[in-house]
Amino acid sequence: MAHQKPLILVTNDDGITAHGIRTLVEVMQELGTVIVVAPNSPQSGMGHAITIANPLRLYPADIFGEVIAYECSGTPADCVKLAKHHILKDRSPDLVVSGINHGYNTSISVLYSGTMSAAIEAAIEGIPAIGFSLGDFSRQPDFSHVREHVFNIAQNVLQNGLTKGVALNVNFPARGPEPLRGVRVCRQANAKWEESFHERRDPHGRRYFWLDGEFVNYDAHAEDTDEYAVANNYVSVVPCQYDLTAYSTVEQIQQWGL
Amino acid sequence: MAHQKPLILVTNDDGITAHGIRTLVEVMQELGTVIVVAPNSPQSGMGHAITIANPLRLYPADIFGEVIAYECSGTPADCVKLAKHHILKDRSPDLVVSGINHGYNTSISVLYSGTMSAAIEAAIEGIPAIGFSLGDFSRQPDFSHVREHVFNIAQNVLQNGLTKGVALNVNFPARGPEPLRGVRVCRQANAKWEESFHERRDPHGRRYFWLDGEFVNYDAHAEDTDEYAVANNYVSVVPCQYDLTAYSTVEQIQQWGL
């Protein structure tokens, strides 16, 4: 029997026309047969939202040459669900990759990240999955220094698989004067945004607010975190799970005698 | 110094006019000073989404008598952020409660749940937090059998606190012929929806899709899960964390030699 090329689903949260997904499609074509199902508009900060109160739209998108692609009106998690349960009903993908996100999804950002929610949605479906993000918010980021790592990490996941219920959160530093120093498999840093709101008035005098904040790393002295890795020009790889149970506290709360 | 009553922030994801939040406000008034900041529209399935591309609106809502209340154009997570960093800048809440959700947030639903994202957002801010949900989707659910448990669990959290980074996910069975059998502190079941999409055509002939699915519990024989608890007429309490690191797989992936 002929060896069948792996089937790779590509999605993202910046929308199907973003530069990051184009790079991801190009690299994945070296590893398998690629299909794209991605949002038709930016979905940054959508977390693990899904569309349940409105109907979902799905249209063919002829923007990646020979690669079959669809744009979807929903969230990244919706895209994975539609791909798995409608478009690819007869053959499940061997790998789901999401990104490359324009901006980091390290530490607490993993919770708000549409990029990672797509990867975690795939993990829920039992499909090995990776979210890729680049710490560069410019309109036209340079992805050239991450291509070999994207290829290598995806190839390893295809070869080794991932423990059931786990997806990888991969973050790359922006291209700098020095080459990347390598890959560190690490944990999610205990870091967050110390937030504030800008209060403004619209032309009708009505108040509105913009979320803003300053990033604070409470794990600044730890060397085993994703924040440490990217701050030191390493690629960070964090295995993420969707079982949120805080097992270490179950017994303690049982003792309350509720 | 006079003993100050606890400050309790109440939010939800069904919107500020839902029946569940009214019950929660009433019970919390027995425990402290209540303030409400809740979405002005249903936000079910919004997961941990936050509003970053659009301005947020916030209006006073005079619907809970003497209780100060605001309605917000954003998600449950936005409500907690606006409450903490704008409305309650000078005094952080002692407790954040979210719900009571109309429908279960057991097992995998915790990821999609706006109710729980509000509680987890509070945990990120270091505030003890609880999400409450009821397994009853009717328009006018009966909350009378859960009031004493809501009070008791919230009182325990106020007295004992919660480990940093942990929020409780509490689920109540719908009122049945028998009284609730008690409370079980348990883990998130390995269960999910086996999904499918209904394909339809709008009056213009354009396709659209509705998400549907059948619930499957892969942990059906385990007795330590939230699904077991509610199926057997117990209240389930699952401590949830936002550190998603799958620690048990870090070393394994390190051995890939990326």
Side-chain angles (χ1 to χ4, degrees), chain A residues 45 50 56-57 81 112 121 188 195 202 209 239 241-242 244-246, chain B residues 45 50 56-57 81 112 121 188 195 202 209 239 241-242 244-246:
Chain A
I50 51 172
L56 277 168
R57 301 286 184 168
K81 285 180 190 294
Y112 306 104
E121 184 64 36
Q188 176 182 327
E195 284 158 337
D202 69 19
F209 297 90
Q241 63 189 19
Y242 57 81
L244 305 189
T245 311
Chain B
I50 52 172
L56 278 167
R57 301 287 184 167
K81 286 180 189 292
Y112 307 103
E121 184 62 37
Q188 176 183 327
E195 285 158 337
D202 70 18
F209 298 90
Q241 62 190 20
Y242 56 82
L244 305 190
T245 311

PDB file of all heavy atoms in Angstrom, chain A residues 45 50 56-57 81 112 121 188 195 202 209 239 241-242 244-246, chain B residues 45 50 56-57 81 112 121 188 195 202 209 239 241-242 244-246:
ATOM      1  N   GLY A  45      -7.972  37.437  20.722  1.00  0.00           N
ATOM      2  CA  GLY A  45      -8.603  37.635  22.025  1.00  0.00           C
ATOM      3  C   GLY A  45      -9.918  36.914  22.176  1.00  0.00           C
ATOM      4  O   GLY A  45     -10.629  37.109  23.153  1.00  0.00           O
ATOM      5  N   ILE A  50     -17.052  29.822  20.935  1.00  0.00           N
ATOM      6  CA  ILE A  50     -17.654  29.119  19.798  1.00  0.00           C
ATOM      7  C   ILE A  50     -18.958  29.819  19.441  1.00  0.00           C
ATOM      8  O   ILE A  50     -19.527  30.548  20.255  1.00  0.00           O
ATOM      9  CB  ILE A  50     -17.946  27.628  20.091  1.00  0.00           C
ATOM     10  CG1 ILE A  50     -18.739  27.464  21.399  1.00  0.00           C
ATOM     11  CG2 ILE A  50     -16.663  26.828  20.129  1.00  0.00           C
ATOM     12  CD1 ILE A  50     -19.230  26.044  21.641  1.00  0.00           C
ATOM     13  N   LEU A  56     -23.322  29.686  11.214  1.00  0.00           N
ATOM     14  CA  LEU A  56     -21.950  29.816  10.710  1.00  0.00           C
ATOM     15  C   LEU A  56     -21.954  29.811   9.188  1.00  0.00           C
ATOM     16  O   LEU A  56     -22.681  29.043   8.563  1.00  0.00           O
ATOM     17  CB  LEU A  56     -21.127  28.621  11.183  1.00  0.00           C
ATOM     18  CG  LEU A  56     -20.559  28.710  12.584  1.00  0.00           C
ATOM     19  CD1 LEU A  56     -20.037  27.341  13.006  1.00  0.00           C
ATOM     20  CD2 LEU A  56     -19.442  29.743  12.629  1.00  0.00           C
ATOM     21  N   ARG A  57     -21.103  30.649   8.616  1.00  0.00           N
ATOM     22  CA  ARG A  57     -20.934  30.669   7.159  1.00  0.00           C
ATOM     23  C   ARG A  57     -19.562  30.089   6.814  1.00  0.00           C
ATOM     24  O   ARG A  57     -18.606  30.259   7.569  1.00  0.00           O
ATOM     25  CB  ARG A  57     -21.001  32.109   6.642  1.00  0.00           C
ATOM     26  CG  ARG A  57     -22.296  32.813   6.961  1.00  0.00           C
ATOM     27  CD  ARG A  57     -23.426  32.324   6.090  1.00  0.00           C
ATOM     28  NE  ARG A  57     -24.651  33.079   6.328  1.00  0.00           N
ATOM     29  CZ  ARG A  57     -25.715  32.999   5.544  1.00  0.00           C
ATOM     30  NH1 ARG A  57     -25.703  32.207   4.475  1.00  0.00           N
ATOM     31  NH2 ARG A  57     -26.806  33.684   5.823  1.00  0.00           N
ATOM     32  N   LYS A  81     -13.806  22.759  14.358  1.00  0.00           N
ATOM     33  CA  LYS A  81     -15.004  21.912  14.417  1.00  0.00           C
ATOM     34  C   LYS A  81     -15.578  21.702  13.011  1.00  0.00           C
ATOM     35  O   LYS A  81     -15.925  20.576  12.629  1.00  0.00           O
ATOM     36  CB  LYS A  81     -16.077  22.561  15.302  1.00  0.00           C
ATOM     37  CG  LYS A  81     -15.804  22.461  16.801  1.00  0.00           C
ATOM     38  CD  LYS A  81     -16.933  23.146  17.576  1.00  0.00           C
ATOM     39  CE  LYS A  81     -16.651  23.308  19.050  1.00  0.00           C
ATOM     40  NZ  LYS A  81     -16.560  22.062  19.810  1.00  0.00           N
ATOM     41  N   TYR A 112      -6.482  33.693  26.470  1.00  0.00           N
ATOM     42  CA  TYR A 112      -7.241  34.620  25.623  1.00  0.00           C
ATOM     43  C   TYR A 112      -7.026  34.335  24.135  1.00  0.00           C
ATOM     44  O   TYR A 112      -7.690  34.916  23.281  1.00  0.00           O
ATOM     45  CB  TYR A 112      -6.808  36.062  25.917  1.00  0.00           C
ATOM     46  CG  TYR A 112      -6.890  36.431  27.376  1.00  0.00           C
ATOM     47  CD1 TYR A 112      -5.756  36.522  28.164  1.00  0.00           C
ATOM     48  CD2 TYR A 112      -8.122  36.690  27.970  1.00  0.00           C
ATOM     49  CE1 TYR A 112      -5.829  36.860  29.511  1.00  0.00           C
ATOM     50  CE2 TYR A 112      -8.213  37.026  29.308  1.00  0.00           C
ATOM     51  CZ  TYR A 112      -7.061  37.107  30.071  1.00  0.00           C
ATOM     52  OH  TYR A 112      -7.147  37.430  31.402  1.00  0.00           O
ATOM     53  N   GLU A 121      -8.753  22.857  20.762  1.00  0.00           N
ATOM     54  CA  GLU A 121      -9.948  22.229  20.186  1.00  0.00           C
ATOM     55  C   GLU A 121      -9.564  20.949  19.441  1.00  0.00           C
ATOM     56  O   GLU A 121     -10.262  19.929  19.543  1.00  0.00           O
ATOM     57  CB  GLU A 121     -10.650  23.211  19.238  1.00  0.00           C
ATOM     58  CG  GLU A 121     -11.945  22.707  18.662  1.00  0.00           C
ATOM     59  CD  GLU A 121     -13.026  22.468  19.716  1.00  0.00           C
ATOM     60  OE1 GLU A 121     -13.093  23.237  20.688  1.00  0.00           O
ATOM     61  OE2 GLU A 121     -13.788  21.494  19.568  1.00  0.00           O
ATOM     62  N   GLN A 188       4.284  27.321  31.425  1.00  0.00           N
ATOM     63  CA  GLN A 188       3.612  28.620  31.316  1.00  0.00           C
ATOM     64  C   GLN A 188       4.058  29.497  32.487  1.00  0.00           C
ATOM     65  O   GLN A 188       3.900  29.109  33.644  1.00  0.00           O
ATOM     66  CB  GLN A 188       2.101  28.347  31.372  1.00  0.00           C
ATOM     67  CG  GLN A 188       1.199  29.545  31.372  1.00  0.00           C
ATOM     68  CD  GLN A 188      -0.284  29.109  31.485  1.00  0.00           C
ATOM     69  OE1 GLN A 188      -0.687  28.058  30.988  1.00  0.00           O
ATOM     70  NE2 GLN A 188      -1.084  29.902  32.163  1.00  0.00           N
ATOM     71  N   GLU A 195      -3.788  45.548  34.505  1.00  0.00           N
ATOM     72  CA  GLU A 195      -4.624  46.226  33.531  1.00  0.00           C
ATOM     73  C   GLU A 195      -5.155  47.579  33.978  1.00  0.00           C
ATOM     74  O   GLU A 195      -5.230  47.890  35.172  1.00  0.00           O
ATOM     75  CB  GLU A 195      -5.774  45.300  33.125  1.00  0.00           C
ATOM     76  CG  GLU A 195      -5.244  44.234  32.189  1.00  0.00           C
ATOM     77  CD  GLU A 195      -6.062  42.991  32.114  1.00  0.00           C
ATOM     78  OE1 GLU A 195      -6.803  42.711  33.064  1.00  0.00           O
ATOM     79  OE2 GLU A 195      -5.934  42.284  31.101  1.00  0.00           O
ATOM     80  N   ASP A 202     -17.416  59.397  23.061  1.00  0.00           N
ATOM     81  CA  ASP A 202     -17.643  59.383  21.623  1.00  0.00           C
ATOM     82  C   ASP A 202     -18.239  60.735  21.202  1.00  0.00           C
ATOM     83  O   ASP A 202     -18.506  61.594  22.053  1.00  0.00           O
ATOM     84  CB  ASP A 202     -18.521  58.187  21.213  1.00  0.00           C
ATOM     85  CG  ASP A 202     -19.958  58.295  21.690  1.00  0.00           C
ATOM     86  OD1 ASP A 202     -20.405  59.426  22.018  1.00  0.00           O
ATOM     87  OD2 ASP A 202     -20.642  57.266  21.718  1.00  0.00           O
ATOM     88  N   PHE A 209     -14.657  52.577  26.746  1.00  0.00           N
ATOM     89  CA  PHE A 209     -13.407  52.176  27.394  1.00  0.00           C
ATOM     90  C   PHE A 209     -12.549  51.342  26.455  1.00  0.00           C
ATOM     91  O   PHE A 209     -13.060  50.515  25.703  1.00  0.00           O
ATOM     92  CB  PHE A 209     -13.715  51.326  28.644  1.00  0.00           C
ATOM     93  CG  PHE A 209     -14.482  52.075  29.696  1.00  0.00           C
ATOM     94  CD1 PHE A 209     -15.872  52.062  29.683  1.00  0.00           C
ATOM     95  CD2 PHE A 209     -13.823  52.790  30.676  1.00  0.00           C
ATOM     96  CE1 PHE A 209     -16.593  52.757  30.640  1.00  0.00           C
ATOM     97  CE2 PHE A 209     -14.535  53.482  31.636  1.00  0.00           C
ATOM     98  CZ  PHE A 209     -15.928  53.473  31.622  1.00  0.00           C
ATOM     99  N   PRO A 239       3.769  22.322  26.534  1.00  0.00           N
ATOM    100  CA  PRO A 239       2.636  21.414  26.348  1.00  0.00           C
ATOM    101  C   PRO A 239       1.467  21.886  27.211  1.00  0.00           C
ATOM    102  O   PRO A 239       1.640  22.129  28.401  1.00  0.00           O
ATOM    103  CB  PRO A 239       3.176  20.054  26.832  1.00  0.00           C
ATOM    104  CG  PRO A 239       4.340  20.370  27.703  1.00  0.00           C
ATOM    105  CD  PRO A 239       4.854  21.727  27.329  1.00  0.00           C
ATOM    106  N   GLN A 241      -2.741  21.495  28.420  1.00  0.00           N
ATOM    107  CA  GLN A 241      -3.835  20.531  28.554  1.00  0.00           C
ATOM    108  C   GLN A 241      -5.136  21.270  28.809  1.00  0.00           C
ATOM    109  O   GLN A 241      -5.138  22.425  29.243  1.00  0.00           O
ATOM    110  CB  GLN A 241      -3.542  19.559  29.689  1.00  0.00           C
ATOM    111  CG  GLN A 241      -3.456  20.243  31.045  1.00  0.00           C
ATOM    112  CD  GLN A 241      -2.962  19.300  32.120  1.00  0.00           C
ATOM    113  OE1 GLN A 241      -2.370  18.268  31.832  1.00  0.00           O
ATOM    114  NE2 GLN A 241      -3.214  19.653  33.368  1.00  0.00           N
ATOM    115  N   TYR A 242      -6.253  20.574  28.512  1.00  0.00           N
ATOM    116  CA  TYR A 242      -7.567  21.192  28.724  1.00  0.00           C
ATOM    117  C   TYR A 242      -8.281  20.615  29.937  1.00  0.00           C
ATOM    118  O   TYR A 242      -9.423  20.989  30.202  1.00  0.00           O
ATOM    119  CB  TYR A 242      -8.432  21.073  27.467  1.00  0.00           C
ATOM    120  CG  TYR A 242      -8.644  19.658  26.989  1.00  0.00           C
ATOM    121  CD1 TYR A 242      -9.609  18.844  27.577  1.00  0.00           C
ATOM    122  CD2 TYR A 242      -7.866  19.131  25.970  1.00  0.00           C
ATOM    123  CE1 TYR A 242      -9.791  17.542  27.155  1.00  0.00           C
ATOM    124  CE2 TYR A 242      -8.042  17.831  25.539  1.00  0.00           C
ATOM    125  CZ  TYR A 242      -9.003  17.039  26.135  1.00  0.00           C
ATOM    126  OH  TYR A 242      -9.179  15.757  25.717  1.00  0.00           O
ATOM    127  N   LEU A 244      -8.690  21.222  33.346  1.00  0.00           N
ATOM    128  CA  LEU A 244      -8.366  22.361  34.204  1.00  0.00           C
ATOM    129  C   LEU A 244      -8.369  21.994  35.694  1.00  0.00           C
ATOM    130  O   LEU A 244      -8.099  22.848  36.541  1.00  0.00           O
ATOM    131  CB  LEU A 244      -9.361  23.503  33.983  1.00  0.00           C
ATOM    132  CG  LEU A 244      -9.545  24.034  32.570  1.00  0.00           C
ATOM    133  CD1 LEU A 244     -10.398  25.308  32.591  1.00  0.00           C
ATOM    134  CD2 LEU A 244      -8.216  24.324  31.896  1.00  0.00           C
ATOM    135  N   THR A 245      -8.692  20.757  36.031  1.00  0.00           N
ATOM    136  CA  THR A 245      -8.784  20.381  37.449  1.00  0.00           C
ATOM    137  C   THR A 245      -7.495  20.717  38.201  1.00  0.00           C
ATOM    138  O   THR A 245      -6.409  20.322  37.781  1.00  0.00           O
ATOM    139  CB  THR A 245      -9.043  18.865  37.598  1.00  0.00           C
ATOM    140  OG1 THR A 245     -10.118  18.487  36.747  1.00  0.00           O
ATOM    141  CG2 THR A 245      -9.368  18.519  39.052  1.00  0.00           C
ATOM    142  N   ALA A 246      -7.633  21.437  39.303  1.00  0.00           N
ATOM    143  CA  ALA A 246      -6.486  21.730  40.167  1.00  0.00           C
ATOM    144  C   ALA A 246      -6.397  20.592  41.183  1.00  0.00           C
ATOM    145  O   ALA A 246      -6.855  20.709  42.326  1.00  0.00           O
ATOM    146  CB  ALA A 246      -6.673  23.078  40.853  1.00  0.00           C
TER     147      ALA A 246
ATOM    148  N   GLY B  45     -21.056  30.478  25.591  1.00  0.00           N
ATOM    149  CA  GLY B  45     -20.120  29.943  24.615  1.00  0.00           C
ATOM    150  C   GLY B  45     -19.001  30.892  24.261  1.00  0.00           C
ATOM    151  O   GLY B  45     -18.222  30.628  23.342  1.00  0.00           O
ATOM    152  N   ILE B  50     -12.087  38.234  25.270  1.00  0.00           N
ATOM    153  CA  ILE B  50     -12.073  39.613  25.761  1.00  0.00           C
ATOM    154  C   ILE B  50     -12.214  40.552  24.570  1.00  0.00           C
ATOM    155  O   ILE B  50     -11.943  40.172  23.436  1.00  0.00           O
ATOM    156  CB  ILE B  50     -10.787  39.962  26.541  1.00  0.00           C
ATOM    157  CG1 ILE B  50      -9.534  39.603  25.707  1.00  0.00           C
ATOM    158  CG2 ILE B  50     -10.764  39.261  27.890  1.00  0.00           C
ATOM    159  CD1 ILE B  50      -8.229  40.105  26.333  1.00  0.00           C
ATOM    160  N   LEU B  56     -15.441  49.291  24.759  1.00  0.00           N
ATOM    161  CA  LEU B  56     -16.406  48.711  25.692  1.00  0.00           C
ATOM    162  C   LEU B  56     -17.346  49.780  26.204  1.00  0.00           C
ATOM    163  O   LEU B  56     -16.932  50.902  26.516  1.00  0.00           O
ATOM    164  CB  LEU B  56     -15.666  48.122  26.891  1.00  0.00           C
ATOM    165  CG  LEU B  56     -15.083  46.737  26.713  1.00  0.00           C
ATOM    166  CD1 LEU B  56     -14.114  46.437  27.847  1.00  0.00           C
ATOM    167  CD2 LEU B  56     -16.195  45.704  26.672  1.00  0.00           C
ATOM    168  N   ARG B  57     -18.617  49.427  26.337  1.00  0.00           N
ATOM    169  CA  ARG B  57     -19.611  50.332  26.917  1.00  0.00           C
ATOM    170  C   ARG B  57     -20.003  49.808  28.294  1.00  0.00           C
ATOM    171  O   ARG B  57     -20.041  48.606  28.526  1.00  0.00           O
ATOM    172  CB  ARG B  57     -20.858  50.372  26.033  1.00  0.00           C
ATOM    173  CG  ARG B  57     -20.595  50.833  24.610  1.00  0.00           C
ATOM    174  CD  ARG B  57     -20.336  52.320  24.561  1.00  0.00           C
ATOM    175  NE  ARG B  57     -20.174  52.783  23.188  1.00  0.00           N
ATOM    176  CZ  ARG B  57     -20.185  54.071  22.853  1.00  0.00           C
ATOM    177  NH1 ARG B  57     -20.350  55.013  23.784  1.00  0.00           N
ATOM    178  NH2 ARG B  57     -20.014  54.426  21.596  1.00  0.00           N
ATOM    179  N   LYS B  81     -12.850  42.453  34.505  1.00  0.00           N
ATOM    180  CA  LYS B  81     -11.758  43.420  34.330  1.00  0.00           C
ATOM    181  C   LYS B  81     -12.249  44.846  34.601  1.00  0.00           C
ATOM    182  O   LYS B  81     -11.584  45.618  35.307  1.00  0.00           O
ATOM    183  CB  LYS B  81     -11.191  43.339  32.905  1.00  0.00           C
ATOM    184  CG  LYS B  81     -10.323  42.112  32.642  1.00  0.00           C
ATOM    185  CD  LYS B  81      -9.810  42.153  31.193  1.00  0.00           C
ATOM    186  CE  LYS B  81      -9.122  40.866  30.775  1.00  0.00           C
ATOM    187  NZ  LYS B  81      -7.848  40.605  31.442  1.00  0.00           N
ATOM    188  N   TYR B 112     -15.616  26.350  27.209  1.00  0.00           N
ATOM    189  CA  TYR B 112     -16.443  27.226  26.371  1.00  0.00           C
ATOM    190  C   TYR B 112     -17.266  28.197  27.213  1.00  0.00           C
ATOM    191  O   TYR B 112     -17.900  29.104  26.689  1.00  0.00           O
ATOM    192  CB  TYR B 112     -17.393  26.385  25.522  1.00  0.00           C
ATOM    193  CG  TYR B 112     -16.712  25.314  24.710  1.00  0.00           C
ATOM    194  CD1 TYR B 112     -16.747  23.982  25.085  1.00  0.00           C
ATOM    195  CD2 TYR B 112     -15.993  25.648  23.565  1.00  0.00           C
ATOM    196  CE1 TYR B 112     -16.102  22.992  24.352  1.00  0.00           C
ATOM    197  CE2 TYR B 112     -15.355  24.675  22.818  1.00  0.00           C
ATOM    198  CZ  TYR B 112     -15.413  23.354  23.215  1.00  0.00           C
ATOM    199  OH  TYR B 112     -14.770  22.391  22.478  1.00  0.00           O
ATOM    200  N   GLU B 121     -11.032  34.545  35.384  1.00  0.00           N
ATOM    201  CA  GLU B 121     -10.469  35.897  35.280  1.00  0.00           C
ATOM    202  C   GLU B 121     -10.242  36.475  36.679  1.00  0.00           C
ATOM    203  O   GLU B 121      -9.210  37.119  36.942  1.00  0.00           O
ATOM    204  CB  GLU B 121     -11.417  36.797  34.487  1.00  0.00           C
ATOM    205  CG  GLU B 121     -10.906  38.197  34.218  1.00  0.00           C
ATOM    206  CD  GLU B 121      -9.647  38.236  33.372  1.00  0.00           C
ATOM    207  OE1 GLU B 121      -9.511  37.405  32.449  1.00  0.00           O
ATOM    208  OE2 GLU B 121      -8.774  39.092  33.646  1.00  0.00           O
ATOM    209  N   GLN B 188     -12.781  17.254  36.713  1.00  0.00           N
ATOM    210  CA  GLN B 188     -13.433  17.449  35.414  1.00  0.00           C
ATOM    211  C   GLN B 188     -13.472  16.118  34.680  1.00  0.00           C
ATOM    212  O   GLN B 188     -12.428  15.509  34.459  1.00  0.00           O
ATOM    213  CB  GLN B 188     -12.603  18.505  34.670  1.00  0.00           C
ATOM    214  CG  GLN B 188     -13.013  18.807  33.255  1.00  0.00           C
ATOM    215  CD  GLN B 188     -12.038  19.823  32.611  1.00  0.00           C
ATOM    216  OE1 GLN B 188     -11.497  20.698  33.281  1.00  0.00           O
ATOM    217  NE2 GLN B 188     -11.799  19.673  31.329  1.00  0.00           N
ATOM    218  N   GLU B 195     -19.635  15.991  17.807  1.00  0.00           N
ATOM    219  CA  GLU B 195     -20.343  17.059  17.130  1.00  0.00           C
ATOM    220  C   GLU B 195     -20.747  16.755  15.695  1.00  0.00           C
ATOM    221  O   GLU B 195     -20.162  15.900  15.036  1.00  0.00           O
ATOM    222  CB  GLU B 195     -19.501  18.339  17.202  1.00  0.00           C
ATOM    223  CG  GLU B 195     -19.594  18.890  18.614  1.00  0.00           C
ATOM    224  CD  GLU B 195     -18.467  19.799  18.998  1.00  0.00           C
ATOM    225  OE1 GLU B 195     -17.393  19.702  18.395  1.00  0.00           O
ATOM    226  OE2 GLU B 195     -18.676  20.607  19.913  1.00  0.00           O
ATOM    227  N   ASP B 202     -30.290  29.724   3.456  1.00  0.00           N
ATOM    228  CA  ASP B 202     -31.090  30.902   3.808  1.00  0.00           C
ATOM    229  C   ASP B 202     -32.005  31.248   2.617  1.00  0.00           C
ATOM    230  O   ASP B 202     -31.940  30.599   1.562  1.00  0.00           O
ATOM    231  CB  ASP B 202     -30.177  32.057   4.241  1.00  0.00           C
ATOM    232  CG  ASP B 202     -29.362  32.655   3.103  1.00  0.00           C
ATOM    233  OD1 ASP B 202     -29.709  32.444   1.917  1.00  0.00           O
ATOM    234  OD2 ASP B 202     -28.387  33.359   3.394  1.00  0.00           O
ATOM    235  N   PHE B 209     -24.603  26.956   8.708  1.00  0.00           N
ATOM    236  CA  PHE B 209     -24.444  25.765   9.541  1.00  0.00           C
ATOM    237  C   PHE B 209     -24.824  26.061  10.987  1.00  0.00           C
ATOM    238  O   PHE B 209     -24.532  27.146  11.505  1.00  0.00           O
ATOM    239  CB  PHE B 209     -22.987  25.285   9.519  1.00  0.00           C
ATOM    240  CG  PHE B 209     -22.515  24.879   8.165  1.00  0.00           C
ATOM    241  CD1 PHE B 209     -21.930  25.809   7.315  1.00  0.00           C
ATOM    242  CD2 PHE B 209     -22.664  23.575   7.719  1.00  0.00           C
ATOM    243  CE1 PHE B 209     -21.491  25.441   6.052  1.00  0.00           C
ATOM    244  CE2 PHE B 209     -22.234  23.195   6.467  1.00  0.00           C
ATOM    245  CZ  PHE B 209     -21.650  24.132   5.623  1.00  0.00           C
ATOM    246  N   PRO B 239     -12.303  22.286  41.587  1.00  0.00           N
ATOM    247  CA  PRO B 239     -11.350  23.392  41.595  1.00  0.00           C
ATOM    248  C   PRO B 239     -10.635  23.443  40.246  1.00  0.00           C
ATOM    249  O   PRO B 239     -10.135  22.429  39.774  1.00  0.00           O
ATOM    250  CB  PRO B 239     -10.379  23.029  42.727  1.00  0.00           C
ATOM    251  CG  PRO B 239     -10.523  21.563  42.932  1.00  0.00           C
ATOM    252  CD  PRO B 239     -11.866  21.143  42.413  1.00  0.00           C
ATOM    253  N   GLN B 241      -7.869  25.479  37.495  1.00  0.00           N
ATOM    254  CA  GLN B 241      -6.690  26.345  37.450  1.00  0.00           C
ATOM    255  C   GLN B 241      -6.472  26.859  36.027  1.00  0.00           C
ATOM    256  O   GLN B 241      -6.959  26.264  35.075  1.00  0.00           O
ATOM    257  CB  GLN B 241      -5.456  25.595  37.921  1.00  0.00           C
ATOM    258  CG  GLN B 241      -5.101  24.412  37.052  1.00  0.00           C
ATOM    259  CD  GLN B 241      -4.020  23.542  37.663  1.00  0.00           C
ATOM    260  OE1 GLN B 241      -3.771  23.589  38.867  1.00  0.00           O
ATOM    261  NE2 GLN B 241      -3.364  22.758  36.837  1.00  0.00           N
ATOM    262  N   TYR B 242      -5.733  27.975  35.928  1.00  0.00           N
ATOM    263  CA  TYR B 242      -5.470  28.545  34.602  1.00  0.00           C
ATOM    264  C   TYR B 242      -4.033  28.312  34.139  1.00  0.00           C
ATOM    265  O   TYR B 242      -3.643  28.778  33.082  1.00  0.00           O
ATOM    266  CB  TYR B 242      -5.803  30.046  34.571  1.00  0.00           C
ATOM    267  CG  TYR B 242      -5.074  30.869  35.613  1.00  0.00           C
ATOM    268  CD1 TYR B 242      -3.773  31.298  35.394  1.00  0.00           C
ATOM    269  CD2 TYR B 242      -5.677  31.189  36.814  1.00  0.00           C
ATOM    270  CE1 TYR B 242      -3.090  32.032  36.345  1.00  0.00           C
ATOM    271  CE2 TYR B 242      -5.019  31.928  37.772  1.00  0.00           C
ATOM    272  CZ  TYR B 242      -3.723  32.354  37.533  1.00  0.00           C
ATOM    273  OH  TYR B 242      -3.046  33.068  38.474  1.00  0.00           O
ATOM    274  N   LEU B 244      -2.137  26.021  32.316  1.00  0.00           N
ATOM    275  CA  LEU B 244      -2.494  24.915  31.424  1.00  0.00           C
ATOM    276  C   LEU B 244      -1.339  23.948  31.179  1.00  0.00           C
ATOM    277  O   LEU B 244      -1.492  22.968  30.442  1.00  0.00           O
ATOM    278  CB  LEU B 244      -2.981  25.453  30.069  1.00  0.00           C
ATOM    279  CG  LEU B 244      -4.139  26.448  30.066  1.00  0.00           C
ATOM    280  CD1 LEU B 244      -4.626  26.667  28.639  1.00  0.00           C
ATOM    281  CD2 LEU B 244      -5.289  25.995  30.952  1.00  0.00           C
ATOM    282  N   THR B 245      -0.157  24.231  31.751  1.00  0.00           N
ATOM    283  CA  THR B 245       1.003  23.381  31.471  1.00  0.00           C
ATOM    284  C   THR B 245       0.706  21.916  31.776  1.00  0.00           C
ATOM    285  O   THR B 245       0.255  21.593  32.870  1.00  0.00           O
ATOM    286  CB  THR B 245       2.217  23.819  32.319  1.00  0.00           C
ATOM    287  OG1 THR B 245       2.387  25.234  32.210  1.00  0.00           O
ATOM    288  CG2 THR B 245       3.487  23.099  31.869  1.00  0.00           C
ATOM    289  N   ALA B 246       0.965  21.057  30.810  1.00  0.00           N
ATOM    290  CA  ALA B 246       0.833  19.604  31.008  1.00  0.00           C
ATOM    291  C   ALA B 246       2.185  19.118  31.530  1.00  0.00           C
ATOM    292  O   ALA B 246       3.007  18.584  30.781  1.00  0.00           O
ATOM    293  CB  ALA B 246       0.447  18.930  29.697  1.00  0.00           C
TER     294      ALA B 246
END
